[in-house]
């Protein structure tokens, strides 16, 4: 998963109120193996976006990415069926 600003910035934000987690502790944990689970003291909402087309703010151009999960094909099929059902 990608995080705007990087995974360290996300970890710092998530663990800012966690006792015993400093920036150095987070960096050491991220560099180590195996992965560690940390139960947060406060719940957060997570929203995941999967996009294969996007306009980049820097240049206002439309970019396309490979649809590695095949969602575009499924979405196109669902939209086509919806148009057929609604047509006279």
């Amino acid at each position: 998963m990608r995080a705007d600003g990087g995974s360290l910035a996300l970890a710092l934000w998530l663990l800012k109120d966690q006792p015993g987690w400093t920036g150095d502790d987070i960096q050491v944990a991220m560099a180590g193996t195996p992965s560690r689970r940390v139960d947060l003291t406060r719940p957060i909402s997570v929203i995941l976006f999967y996009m294969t087309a996007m306009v980049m703010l820097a240049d206002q151009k439309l970019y396309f990415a490979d649809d590695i999960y095949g969602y575009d094909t499924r979405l196109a099929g669902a939209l086509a069926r919806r148009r057929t059902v609604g047509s006279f």
Side-chain angles (χ1 to χ4, degrees):
M1 178 183 338
R2 292 186 185 145
D4 189 23
S7 55
L8 178 59
L10 177 61
L12 289 168
W13 181 80
L14 287 171
L15 298 173
K16 67 183 176 193
D17 297 327
Q18 292 290 121
W21 283 98
T22 66
D24 289 339
D25 294 327
I26 293 169
Q27 288 183 8
V28 168
M30 290 177 73
T33 56
S35 295
R36 292 180 59 183
R37 175 185 166 137
V38 177
D39 293 322
L40 301 176
T41 56
R42 62 180 169 87
I44 61 161
S45 298
V46 176
I47 300 171
L48 300 177
F49 288 94
Y50 176 76
M51 299 182 301
T52 55
M54 64 216 78
V55 174
M56 302 304 281
L57 294 176
D59 60 10
Q60 295 296 303
K61 290 183 181 179
L62 177 62
Y63 291 88
F64 295 93
D66 292 335
D67 178 24
I68 61 173
Y69 299 112
Y71 292 160
D72 287 349
T73 303
R74 290 173 29 197
L75 176 60
L79 292 172
R81 285 188 299 280
R82 184 175 176 186
R83 278 194 301 268
T84 303
V85 170
S87 300
F88 292 98

